[in-house]
Amino acid sequence: MRGSLVAAARQRFALPVVAVAVAAGLTACDDEPSRPSPVAHVLGEGDQYVALGDSYTAAVNTGPVATTDGCANSTVNYPHRIADATGMDLVDNSCGGATTDALTLPQPLGPDREHPPQLDDVDEDTDLVTIRLGANDDDMYLRIIQCAQFFGAEASGTPCADADAAKGEDALPLALADLEDSLVDGLEEIEARGPNARIIVIGYPHVIPEEGTCELLPLPADDYAYARRIIDGLNTALESAADEAGVTFIDMYAVSEGHDICGAEPWVAGAAIAPPGATAWHPYAAESQAVAELVLDELEEE
């Protein structure tokens, strides 16, 4: 495994990777924070929870801002919902724009402003770590956004896929392989710093419909397949890294089928944003609630 700018760790409990199916009673349309649950969980009051991630974890503009550090974490994102439901003490280090580098390096947020490395708060007292990162590595997700912004739905052919191919036929697969390496390194570092922590890796949701197009996702029609390859690749990298580390993987892609940008009940905003709010191309509060419920399912006492 090549060296990387990120690092992290294999969970000491050697939990198997699982693709979690959505429960029948899922209430992901709820944009209110999770309430303390009557269900017994293996972690609870007094336990330490550190959340790592990018804007898909921070859930920017879905509710009140939790901090003033420039990361724009929402008080209704899934880390806050999990903490509210269990009573755990939360450190939400997710930050808009974060790459896997942000695990171990400061993240620049503007002139004379930066967010400390996200792993700084993981230590031997940490009981739970959740992580969803990778979409910003090598501008993966930005490629989809810029495809819509620079070309739009009226463009013919596959200009976005062609632009990627101009960098080299294997440019995208190689970038995704690098991402997987970075995620593996990151998970190894998490265990090294937090040897007692349970680690849960969370996938990205459906963003692109399986078929068809829509105005909210103004990509060239023939480039929808290219955008799907990026999202599929991100989730494959996350799942493969979790598998190698022996930690739990929550497959949000499978759970969110039909809730893509073009869906009747989208969990991700497109070019236009519906109430109660989000950021264009990013999750609504419904997605945060869905993630929270699936993590809580993983934490239930048997």
Side-chain angles (χ1 to χ4, degrees), residues 203-228:
Y204 290 94
H206 254 84
V207 177
I208 318 298
E210 291 299 320
E211 57 184 21
T213 64
C214 70
E215 292 183 3
L216 288 174
L217 186 57
L219 305 174
D222 291 338
D223 263 326
Y224 268 62
Y226 162 72
R228 275 194 295 271

Side-chain angles (χ1 to χ4, degrees), residues 5-43:
L5 291 175
V6 253
R10 183 163 305 174
Q11 185 174 358
R12 70 183 279 200
F13 303 119
L15 295 172
V17 175
V18 293
V20 184
V22 65
L26 189 69
T27 57
C29 58
D30 182 7
D31 61 357
E32 293 297 320
S34 305
R35 303 303 181 201
S37 172
V39 177
H41 296 99
V42 294
L43 298 173

Side-chain angles (χ1 to χ4, degrees), residues 137-148 150-151 157-173 175-176 207-210 212-213 217 219-234 253:
D137 283 46
D138 217 346
D139 293 331
M140 292 287 185
Y141 196 59
L142 184 61
R143 300 179 196 205
I144 298 174
I145 297 173
Q146 290 183 337
C147 183
F150 295 162
F151 294 101
T158 56
C160 305
D162 294 345
D164 246 11
K167 303 173 187 175
E169 185 174 342
D170 294 329
L172 182 58
L176 289 166
V207 177
I208 318 298
E210 291 299 320
T213 64
L217 186 57
L219 305 174
D222 291 338
D223 263 326
Y224 268 62
Y226 162 72
R228 275 194 295 271
R229 285 199 301 274
I230 292 175
I231 303 298
D232 288 347
L234 290 172
Y253 191 80

